Amino acid sequence: EIVLTQSPATLSLSPGERATLSCRASQSVKSYLAWYQQKPGQAPRLLIYDASNRATGVPARFSGSGSGTDFTLTISSLHPEDFAVYYCQQRSNWPPTFGQGTKVEIK
Amino acid sequence: QVQLQQWGAGLLKPSETLSLTCAVYGESLSAFYWSWIRQPPGKGLEWIGDIIDSGSTNYNPSLESRVTLSVDTSKNLFSLRLNSVTAADTAVYYCARGRQFPSQFDPWGQGTLVTVSS
């Protein structure tokens, strides 16, 4: 089973700042990595799939990059609604697995 | 626009069987993989398994001995059964759609909190 390690656990930033979230895989997942946003009491929402493709309706301030074992989710300028927990997930190997999450909180 | 709506019992005793159902609206079950994913309170996400319209399934090895997924194409819904539950199975359970196997998941159901307590 592939282990995904997200860092940092918590990111404290102000609205308008740039957020950079990291996800590292225990072995190569090629480009088969997705990112999700989860707000309290809600289901996760797909943001990015296959490392760099934005899902339908996702604002352009969200971007993904990376391949192999190292991936990044960047939020170019934080909006108030972007403060949430973000998870990465790999679909390269079975079973699909998730990272433990990064919480983006208001500083 | 596809929507997933799920329901099931929210409070179980140890050793009982968890049973949840997810109805799919706006799309046929065919051509997609339909998954269950769970999230213990305050923790991360765990994929449980998935099923396609033919009834073919894939299960997470960590739960395979206790999980059964089923599908009812006439009603456009799929279901999860997890037997012999313990407190460790307390979680929010989500249904979700995948486009391939393995997959990313989009969209998700609203989630059902299942609490196991004596």
Side-chain angles (χ1 to χ4, degrees):
Chain A
E1 175 172 311
I2 292 179
V3 176
L4 300 178
T5 302
Q6 294 186 238
S7 61
T10 304
L11 198 51
S12 298
L13 295 169
S14 301
E17 289 193 296
R18 182 184 189 90
T20 303
L21 288 67
S22 174
C23 178
R24 177 164 290 178
S26 59
Q27 63 189 78
S28 175
V29 299
K30 307 181 185 75
S31 293
Y32 298 128
L33 191 104
W35 291 94
Y36 299 84
Q37 176 192 66
Q38 186 177 35
K39 298 179 180 179
Q42 296 184 17
R45 169 198 178 196
L46 179 67
L47 297 176
I48 301 288
Y49 66 94
D50 293 349
S52 61
N53 297 288
R54 273 190 303 277
T56 302
V58 175
R61 64 181 181 272
F62 292 91
S63 63
S65 63
S67 66
T69 60
D70 291 300
F71 298 85
T72 301
L73 174 69
T74 301
I75 310 171
S76 60
S77 177
L78 282 163
H79 288 204
E81 62 269 28
D82 299 337
F83 291 92
V85 179
Y86 293 83
Y87 294 95
C88 58
Q89 177 242 324
Q90 66 82 21
R91 69 174 188 89
S92 175
N93 281 33
W94 178 84
T97 52
F98 294 84
Q100 82 280 15
T102 289
K103 181 179 182 179
V104 179
E105 66 176 21
I106 300 176
K107 186 175 181 180
Chain B
Q1 180 180 353
V2 60
Q3 292 188 336
L4 280 63
Q5 185 170 355
Q6 57 183 102
W7 65 88
L11 181 61
L12 297 173
K13 291 181 170 25
S15 80
E16 292 185 335
T17 296
L18 180 158
S19 181
L20 298 174
T21 298
C22 182
V24 179
Y25 299 98
E27 193 165 79
S28 167
L29 291 181
S30 61
F32 294 98
Y33 290 78
W34 302 96
S35 278
W36 290 96
I37 296 159
R38 69 180 184 177
Q39 184 173 37
K43 296 188 178 180
L45 298 152
E46 179 181 33
W47 177 78
I48 298 170
D50 66 21
I51 191 167
I52 59 175
D53 60 341
S54 66
S56 178
T57 56
N58 298 289
Y59 297 131
N60 193 319
S62 66
L63 294 166
E64 185 167 15
S65 63
R66 298 193 291 131
V67 173
T68 302
L69 301 190
S70 59
V71 63
D72 185 337
T73 55
S74 67
K75 297 180 180 179
N76 223 45
L77 55 79
F78 60 105
S79 299
L80 163 70
R81 288 175 62 87
L82 178 68
N83 59 35
S84 304
V85 297
T86 69
D89 295 311
T90 294
V92 177
Y93 287 75
Y94 296 99
C95 55
R97 183 188 70 175
R99 292 185 177 272
Q100 64 273 102
F101 179 76
S103 183
Q104 66 272 358
F105 307 104
D106 176 54
W108 297 53
Q110 79 276 21
T112 301
L113 174 61
V114 177
T115 302
V116 181
S117 175
S118 56

